[in-house]
Amino acid sequence: MNIPGKFSELQARGEGALIAYVCAGDPTPDATEGIVKALIRGGADIVELGLPFSDPVADGPTIQAASERALSAGMNTDRYFELVGSLDVKVPLVCMTYYNLIFKRGLENFVVDCTDAGISGIIVPDLPVEESKELAECCARNKVDLIFLIAPTTTEGRINMILEHGSGFMYLVSRVGVTGARSDIAESTSGLLSRVKTDIPKAVGFGISTGKQAQEVVVNGADAVIAGSVFVDIIASGYDVNARLEELAIELKDGILSAKR
Amino acid sequence: MTKSLYGKYGGQFVPEILMPALAELEEGYKRYKNDPGFLKELDYYLHDFAGRETPLYFAKNLSKKYGIRIYLKREDLVHGGAHKLNNTIGQGLLAKYMGKTRIVAETGAGQHGTATAMIGANLGFETVVYMGAKDIERQRMNVYRMELMGTEVNDVESGSKTLKDAINEALRDWVTNIGNTHYLIGSVVGPHPYPMIVRDFQSVIGNEVREQIMEKEGRYPDSIVACAGGGSNAMGIFHPFIEDYGVKLFAVEAGGSGMASTEHAALHSASLCVGEEGVLHGARTRILQDKYGQILESHSVSAGLDYSGVGPELAHLADIGRLTPCNASDEEALKAFHELSYMEGIIPALESSHALAYVMKAAGSGELGDLVVINLSGRGDKDLETVIKIDKGGQI
């Protein structure tokens, strides 16, 4: 199933989506399938699989460490596509990675490899819309969604430009800063949700770690909640990982379901 | 839609959060770069604070030995001991005019961090510098200098613990503190408009050389030689000569301990010589990377050249043949370090020693012509600890 399909299914039930991020190959390539399945059992509607990069400037310490673990365990772009292609899951998968890895493989090759591996969307945190023309064309040709980020600092003019070029969902960054779990969700989130006017689903991420935060974000008008670092923290602990990932996914999804929309 | 490319290089490959800040910076720079008040203050600081202009010194003993006329542009005499202050004065004033109250910077050898600390203290900014843990160890004196001037020095433990990781961390800080903070980048790298701004503020070097060489020799040099890590001293001395096609330009990179690479690391820092096109730190340029695009760690005896990328404009000038990328090894640079010290009584920075080393090895070939200007971008006091260790048989 692709991303728009998943959102229309959820919207028909009046339900918000849980989007879960983990870094592929963290802590080892073999662990990823179990992790992804635990997230889906817990209620993840879409799974973002990070392709780790040596210099992840948009990420905080949690995901930096995950990237280093995965790279040390031998993750690379070839193994990433093999691994993702072998996953037997029904939810849409999204590739999140930095531009140089896409550039080096060749944009068209990268997007075709995504399609072959069953990936339906790509997020590139260091690729603003101005630099995205070529990749956007490859994505459009191969029916892969190119998902853009919108930040609290994004001006109205830029929001319109991003809405024109983005598809799948809009990734609204809840606060300025890098990725990482936080105990509070910035007030800027509700302001940003009301500034972005579109029919494309709006997903809010950066810092979300509890069911209560997830509920709050959906109450404020989000169609989806993205959680990443909080899952990666569990993976990093190495303790009872899959059961705890599933539990946390249940908590977040319950928070989303409890929001009156 | 991509803007500000140098040929196919340059651009703005940064997180969305930074895009408005880059636009604000470009706007601010456009507004003030020709503003009489700004220019007057810039001149004042370059003259009275930095000590410009710097001499163009005829190195008579070297010239005699190598049989060509060799001039040294004495950026080692700039306050702080390197050319870095030219840029930090410019960007520091720009940040002040733009109403920022906090500056962050990355540093490799500690020279840019020190130059940032100087202007930060002088203009009253809260100043934060990120420095790789490995570099902190190599350049302890510079860390202490920065701290004396009230700068907070944060060690960076991620990745290779050198300059590239310090840039990552400075970018993360900027992303988080975007409202009141100016990121004072130290080289002609990063997203547009940084490569242009840093080049412009460093061009004072080349502009002075134009007048000085004319006065002393009545003509422009046959070649200009500068070391290049990120490449700010090189762009600074090259830029005013770009249209003078009779002047050959040589960018000397760190050849390290050899021009090969292992799985995760290069033995050198020669991204112009052997790097491939890629995207690093916000710009499309030539970088050291593996076949998947993961960035390779670089190596050089000099912390200031130890970088996996290079300024996008230098990559472009190399592509179109306007400059010649070349390199000098750790060993050759060390030899040049000693040779300039005992022959001319000038102790050069290990970075600048690479430029000297290239001239020493190429002088006989005729490739450089008869009249050469070397950018002596910094002084070597900061490197004494490193050199002593190596002279005693330690590892580079």
Side-chain angles (χ1 to χ4, degrees):
Chain A
M1 185 182 289
N2 64 11
I3 298 168
K6 174 53 89 176
F7 274 104
S8 21
E9 177 194 296
L10 291 170
Q11 268 152 7
R13 297 204 298 261
E15 202 179 308
L18 173 62
I19 303 175
Y21 167 94
V22 289
C23 176
D26 170 31
T28 63
D30 291 342
T32 300
E33 178 156 24
I35 286 169
V36 170
K37 289 193 164 159
L39 293 169
I40 295 171
R41 278 199 306 278
D45 300 295
I46 294 172
V47 176
E48 280 177 26
L49 283 164
L51 164 58
F53 179 52
S54 52
D55 294 76
V57 293
D59 286 304
T62 302
I63 294 175
Q64 284 174 51
S67 304
E68 282 184 28
R69 283 193 298 273
L71 290 170
S72 312
M75 185 47 66
N76 60 41
T77 313
D78 290 337
R79 293 187 74 173
Y80 176 86
F81 285 123
E82 268 169 45
L83 172 64
V84 178
S86 73
L87 294 176
D88 177 23
V89 294
K90 301 272 185 290
V91 306
L93 298 173
V94 172
C95 169
M96 184 151 180
T97 196
Y98 287 82
Y99 191 57
N100 197 48
L101 300 187
I102 300 173
F103 184 79
K104 192 73 173 76
R105 198 172 190 83
L107 307 186
E108 183 77 26
N109 288 343
F110 192 95
V111 174
V112 168
D113 287 340
C114 280
T115 327
D116 291 348
I119 290 167
S120 34
I122 302 179
I123 304 174
V124 193
D126 63 344
L127 188 71
V129 64
E130 285 88 341
E131 303 285 0
S132 69
K133 189 162 176 275
E134 280 174 274
L135 184 62
E137 283 166 7
C138 292
C139 284
R141 262 199 303 282
N142 293 284
K143 300 193 168 48
V144 169
D145 288 309
L146 184 56
I147 296 153
F148 287 102
L149 287 84
I150 298 179
T153 54
T154 306
T155 56
E156 307 307 316
R158 294 188 54 79
I159 289 178
N160 292 334
M161 189 161 65
I162 293 167
L163 291 177
E164 202 178 302
H165 291 88
S167 64
F169 59 86
M170 290 293 144
Y171 190 140
L172 274 54
V173 177
S174 63
R175 56 172 164 74
V176 294
V178 292
T179 58
R182 295 291 162 93
S183 54
D184 61 320
I185 287 297
E187 280 177 26
S188 52
T189 308
S190 57
L192 184 57
L193 277 164
S194 59
R195 283 206 294 139
V196 179
K197 295 179 179 63
T198 174
D199 295 334
I200 304 170
K202 295 182 266 190
V204 172
F206 275 42
I208 296 172
S209 59
T210 67
K212 189 163 179 308
Q213 290 171 329
Q215 180 194 32
E216 207 180 311
V217 165
V218 176
V219 167
N220 278 313
D223 303 294
V225 170
I226 306 172
S229 293
V230 68
F231 289 121
V232 175
D233 279 334
I234 292 176
I235 296 170
S237 77
Y239 162 70
D240 201 10
V241 171
N242 291 357
R244 288 169 65 214
L245 288 174
E246 185 176 341
E247 236 168 75
L248 178 64
I250 291 170
E251 180 194 328
L252 292 167
K253 184 71 193 192
D254 282 350
I256 293 167
L257 292 173
S258 70
K260 293 248 176 339
R261 306 180 76 231
Chain B
M1 260 192 309
T2 299
K3 56 179 175 178
S4 315
L5 288 182
Y6 306 98
K8 60 185 173 180
Y9 301 111
Q12 295 182 313
F13 297 86
V14 294
E16 173 60 28
I17 297 172
L18 294 181
M19 292 301 285
L22 293 175
E24 184 193 345
L25 177 62
E26 192 174 359
E27 187 61 33
Y29 182 61
K30 261 193 208 146
R31 182 162 160 207
Y32 294 116
K33 72 173 181 179
N34 297 315
D35 176 82
F38 177 84
L39 290 174
K40 199 176 157 203
E41 207 171 350
L42 179 63
D43 269 355
Y44 164 77
Y45 270 93
L46 288 174
H47 188 267
D48 284 18
F49 188 64
R52 300 204 74 91
E53 64 177 28
T54 60
L56 182 68
Y57 168 74
F58 177 63
K60 61 176 187 305
N61 300 324
L62 275 192
S63 297
K64 197 171 165 198
K65 175 169 177 186
Y66 292 98
I68 55 175
R69 296 180 71 74
I70 300 173
Y71 281 87
L72 305 177
K73 179 58 175 167
R74 297 292 306 276
E75 293 299 297
D76 60 317
L77 296 177
V78 173
H79 177 42
H83 70 292
K84 291 293 185 184
L85 192 65
N86 304 330
N87 169 48
T88 60
I89 286 174
Q91 283 196 55
L93 286 173
L94 184 58
K96 190 183 92 169
Y97 276 68
M98 289 173 64
K100 303 291 177 182
T101 57
R102 181 175 179 272
I103 48 182
V104 294
E106 81 295 338
T107 196
Q111 290 303 108
H112 173 59
T114 302
T116 303
M118 286 169 171
I119 200 66
N122 192 284
L123 296 178
F125 288 110
E126 179 192 345
T127 309
V128 176
V129 166
Y130 291 91
M131 187 168 182
K134 197 171 136 193
D135 290 333
I136 286 186
E137 203 177 301
R138 290 195 275 197
Q139 300 288 350
R140 278 181 306 185
M141 290 300 272
N142 271 339
V143 175
Y144 192 58
R145 288 209 290 175
M146 286 184 262
E147 287 173 349
L148 276 175
M149 291 180 279
T151 288
E152 180 187 324
V153 181
N154 292 318
D155 62 334
V156 178
E157 292 284 352
S158 56
S160 60
K161 303 176 188 174
T162 63
L163 180 58
K164 93 176 162 68
D165 311 285
I167 295 178
N168 292 341
E169 217 45 52
L171 281 167
R172 290 179 188 121
D173 180 308
W174 195 30
V175 164
T176 309
N177 301 292
I178 193 97
N180 67 345
T181 299
H182 173 69
Y183 176 23
L184 206 167
I185 204 162
S187 194
V188 286
V189 302
H192 176 77
Y194 280 109
M196 172 182 82
I197 290 178
V198 178
R199 175 200 72 197
D200 288 354
F201 286 135
Q202 289 293 0
S203 290
V204 65
I205 305 172
N207 285 329
E208 286 177 6
V209 169
R210 284 179 80 84
E211 293 189 9
Q212 292 169 318
I213 196 77
M214 215 28 124
E215 202 173 293
K216 288 170 195 288
E217 294 282 338
R219 67 172 178 111
Y220 290 141
D222 296 319
S223 42
I224 299 176
V225 183
C227 64
S232 71
N233 89 84
M235 276 316 302
I237 197 166
F238 292 165
H239 184 64
F241 289 94
I242 297 286
E243 308 282 312
D244 298 294
Y245 294 100
V247 181
K248 289 195 218 169
L249 309 173
F250 293 85
V252 189
E253 299 192 295
S257 52
M259 293 300 289
S261 298
T262 62
E263 195 186 348
H264 299 298
L267 302 177
H268 55 84
S269 309
S271 30
L272 278 179
C273 289
V274 296
E276 293 166 346
E277 200 183 330
V279 172
L280 177 64
H281 294 143
R284 190 158 157 176
T285 183
R286 284 201 204 171
I287 57 180
L288 302 175
Q289 55 184 328
D290 74 7
K291 67 171 179 168
Y292 297 108
Q294 305 289 350
I295 308 306
L296 293 175
E297 292 176 14
S298 52
H299 165 81
S300 170
V301 67
S302 72
L305 299 184
D306 198 344
Y307 180 53
S308 314
V310 65
E313 191 168 11
L314 285 160
H316 172 61
L317 292 172
D319 272 14
I320 61 170
R322 181 63 191 95
L323 71 75
T324 308
C326 48
N327 60 83
S329 68
D330 286 346
E331 209 174 306
E332 289 164 337
L334 283 159
K335 198 171 145 260
F337 176 93
H338 283 287
E339 191 169 320
L340 190 73
S341 301
Y342 70 70
M343 286 192 68
E344 297 284 352
I346 298 170
I347 302 174
L350 281 175
E351 291 77 13
S352 325
S353 298
H354 287 74
L356 292 160
Y358 188 74
V359 171
M360 291 168 182
K361 67 178 175 181
S365 72
E367 152 187 58
L368 302 173
D370 301 324
L371 182 59
V372 178
V373 173
I374 302 173
N375 198 4
L376 194 68
S377 55
R379 67 174 185 228
D381 306 49
K382 68 179 175 57
D383 297 312
L384 293 183
E385 221 177 317
T386 306
V387 176
I388 291 166
K389 216 190 280 174
I390 295 165
D391 286 351
K392 285 184 177 158
Q395 261 213 315
I396 296 174

